[in-house]
Amino acid sequence: MAVTNHDVTKNIALNTFTAAVLSLLGVTTQAQAADAEYVDLNSQFSHYEEGANRMKVDIYQAAALLPLTDRFSFKVNGVKDIVTGASPVTNIPTANGKAYQVMSGASIKDVRESVDGAATYKHDYGSLSLGGGVSTENDYNSNFFNIDSRIDFNQKTTTLETGYGFSSDTVWAIDHCPPHCLPNMPKTDTYRRPNVGGDKNTHQGILGVTQILDKDSLVQANLTYTYNGGYLSDPYKVVYTPWVTTPYPGYSDFGGYSHDTRPSSRNQIAILTRYVHHFSVLNSAAVHLDYRYYVDTWGVNAHTFEATWIQPVWQDWKISPTVRYYTQGSADFYQPYFTAPRADGYYSSDYRLAQFGAIGGGVQISKEFFEKLDLGFGIDFYERKNNYGFNGGTGTSVDNFTFSMYTAKINFKF
């Protein structure tokens, strides 16, 4: 099941945007790759788990940075996600008018494999990177590429970042055991659900600026525009539409149901601002203060506030606690269930398009050994509730849930 929302943002090199921030902390990014004189190997394992026995994801990631010359480097990255568990499928109205959430059951099993690479050339005024990759699942294929540049000027106190990314994706739905299967047929047999899914393309551009204020602080701002076109519905989601007389397979006992149906285009704009300050008197600690505003043509708007404190401690140990708050308004065509047709024909009960707020946070702990080896561990928690948000729109407690994520990583340079 395609649970990953493929976002070209991940492929446009946000690393270039944060290079100046991380340089304050001695961390190497892709945009700085051409400066490195060593091979940099990274491996990371993360475990994501939602509450109430919902979705679980094990994420394996490995990356290698190879400096080929003093100006040219290459980075390759591989990811494997193993997805299991259950996910919300639809909502059913109860006698008192509240929504009852129907889960898929613990039937979701999927593996996503992704590989991408990027070549970076460092010139006298900045750097230029070109990358691309592929991602495959049993119900989702994605091919993408990106190009981004960094230009330093004003005696290298100002950096301008620009980037463009493109993704061509195909999505469909997988079912276990076709409708005509006999009772003695193996339920593990799968088939591609007919007339569900399609192709979509994503274009994304990013423009960012970093300004060093003094030897201990800087500010950043970037603007991201994304256009999605094609099949943008979720092939696994179902919507309660009682005026529909054709039975939906598996849901005919509850009344009329139809497919999740969304517009075939979506324009998204995001603005991110960040302030970073380095405290030399506190053993080179640093604070990151972020604010992000998001709006799209589906009616969704959102605010994100995040603060991270990075504190080096005894004998090259480092601890980094983070707190964040997120609030989102619902899409124009979202309802937990529908009782009347919409004029535009768009319907979704996907909890990701509802109004809600979320509180999260975590801590990362790392330790450097021999200036060559870096080990890290982290934990993050997230709680989502409809009454945590202050944006407008529709949301109910049926969409509330929590998740936790645990991460272990290793970095080796030679």
Side-chain angles (χ1 to χ4, degrees), residues 210-283:
T210 301
Q211 178 62 53
I212 297 176
L213 302 178
D214 53 45
K215 67 181 182 63
D216 290 322
S217 59
L218 60 81
V219 292
Q220 294 181 311
N222 77 345
L223 173 67
T224 304
Y225 169 75
T226 306
Y227 171 79
N228 299 278
Y231 182 83
L232 305 182
S233 303
D234 189 314
Y236 291 99
K237 302 299 183 186
V238 181
V239 182
Y240 177 75
T241 50
W243 59 91
V244 176
T245 57
T246 303
Y248 189 93
Y251 294 89
S252 57
D253 293 340
F254 303 111
Y257 279 82
S258 58
H259 288 290
D260 175 278
T261 306
R262 311 180 190 184
S264 59
S265 65
R266 188 181 193 183
N267 293 277
Q268 302 165 283
I269 295 176
I271 300 173
L272 172 68
T273 58
R274 171 176 293 158
Y275 173 74
V276 178
H277 187 80
H278 172 251
F279 299 89
S280 57
V281 296
L282 296 176
N283 196 23

Side-chain angles (χ1 to χ4, degrees), residues 314-318 365-369 373-376:
W314 181 69
Q315 292 189 349
D316 296 322
W317 285 89
K318 185 187 299 180
I365 300 174
S366 63
K367 161 72 171 164
E368 186 179 89
F369 299 87
L373 178 65
D374 200 327
L375 301 179

Side-chain angles (χ1 to χ4, degrees), residues 144-156:
F144 52 88
F145 79 88
N146 54 269
I147 182 171
D148 59 86
S149 69
R150 189 188 84 229
I151 299 177
D152 302 316
F153 55 96
N154 193 20
Q155 298 182 331
K156 294 190 176 182

Side-chain angles (χ1 to χ4, degrees), residues 326-329 351-352 354-358 382 384-386 388-389:
Y326 177 84
T327 177
Q328 170 183 301
Y351 67 97
R352 293 168 294 186
Q355 179 273 335
F356 68 93
Y382 170 99
R384 162 187 165 144
K385 289 189 176 182
N386 67 295
Y388 282 176

